[in-house]
Amino acid sequence: EALGPLRGWRALVTSGPTHEPIDPVRYIANRSSGKQGHAIAAALARLGAAVTLVSGPTQEPVPAGVSIVQVESALDMLAACQDALPVDVAVCAAAVADWRVKATASQKLKKEGGSLPALELAENPDILATLSRAGRNRPALVVGFAAETEKVVAHARAKLARKGCDWIVANDVSPSSGTFGGTNNTVHLLRGDTLEDWPPLSKEEVAQRLAMAIAEHLVGTG
Ligand code: C5P
């Protein structure tokens, strides 16, 4: 492994959901399994990269040869990513919650007492956009994901521009696709203006192909 094409290169991968606390026992979360992000971290490590995997709570085992940083919330995930810099490539596969609860309660909210709690939300930082605009610390290659239920490629093109990343892996997560929690993924790789449609693949195969494309890009330009 240490002899792979990415030996000497540093990678950061985000994976999993985030948990946004409501009170000490409750949180807001989403259905991300972490399978795709963990598979990418594993594939980059197999090619020899020094990989830091910043992950929200998942059931996935920690891939061999990867440094794991376990986090809960989006704010913690951003801080862990910034701590991992500088890296040569960042792949943001986490399903970061768009919002957090503005004022987390320090004690468990009680249903007794009549009034319903109102959860005021605050916007979470966009980790992908932050890494893409990290100035001197910007990774040479920043890869994001776009999970869409319709107009997958059009939305991915807009996302690439909006986030300032270099590549977008766009995938269909409509309920009929079985992507969330499933083993398969049908993706399109958008590199700047260049679009590649990949056939239906397992998440491991998507990870393997993406890691190889990253190695070609970095080693070819580095
Ligand atoms: O905007 P949207 O959530 O669809 O963008 C998805 C991409 O942005 C993914 O790569 C995801 O990891 C990243 N993202 C992020 N931080 C956020 C929201 C999304 O890194 N707060």
Side-chain angles (χ1 to χ4, degrees):
E1 289 122 275
L3 295 176
L6 284 175
R7 185 163 66 123
W9 297 88
R10 291 168 52 88
L12 165 65
V13 179
T14 71
S15 185
T18 62
H19 284 185
E20 305 300 328
I22 296 170
D23 66 18
V25 300
R26 303 184 180 95
Y27 56 83
I28 298 172
N30 62 63
R31 296 185 189 283
S32 169
S33 64
K35 284 185 202 298
Q36 187 64 81
H38 278 54
I40 291 164
L44 289 167
R46 282 198 303 272
L47 294 185
V51 180
T52 301
L53 173 60
V54 177
S55 179
T58 78
Q59 303 294 319
E60 290 295 301
V62 178
V66 160
S67 303
I68 184 88
V69 183
Q70 268 152 348
V71 298
E72 299 256 329
S73 68
L75 289 177
D76 293 345
M77 185 174 277
L78 175 62
C81 287
Q82 283 169 329
D83 283 350
L85 298 180
V87 296
D88 301 295
V89 55
V91 181
C92 292
V96 183
D98 291 317
W99 307 285
R100 66 177 177 276
V101 176
K102 197 167 185 180
T104 301
S106 58
Q107 304 296 333
K108 184 181 174 187
L109 299 176
K110 305 299 284 179
K111 73 181 168 210
E112 299 83 7
S115 68
L116 292 173
L119 295 182
E120 198 184 340
L121 301 180
E123 202 171 329
N124 268 332
D126 190 310
I127 296 168
L128 174 61
T130 304
L131 293 174
S132 296
R133 303 200 166 95
R136 274 192 302 127
N137 260 337
R138 186 193 194 278
L141 180 62
V142 182
V143 184
F145 273 72
E148 306 289 351
T149 57
E150 56 161 3
K151 299 182 194 145
V152 173
V153 171
H155 284 145
R157 286 191 193 282
K159 195 157 291 181
L160 186 85
R162 194 166 65 243
K163 307 257 187 178
C165 59
D166 304 301
W167 298 0
I168 288 264
V169 182
N171 61 339
D172 183 350
V173 295
S174 56
S176 62
S177 74
T179 299
F180 267 125
T183 42
N184 281 330
N185 210 350
T186 302
V187 309
H188 315 266
L189 178 61
L190 187 60
R191 295 188 257 197
D193 288 336
T194 312
L195 178 71
E196 242 179 64
D197 297 315
W198 290 3
L201 297 167
S202 70
K203 290 180 182 178
E204 278 72 29
E205 289 167 321
V206 168
Q208 179 68 20
R209 281 199 186 203
L210 184 64
M212 307 252 283
I214 288 169
E216 267 169 39
H217 180 85
L218 287 180
V219 176
T221 60

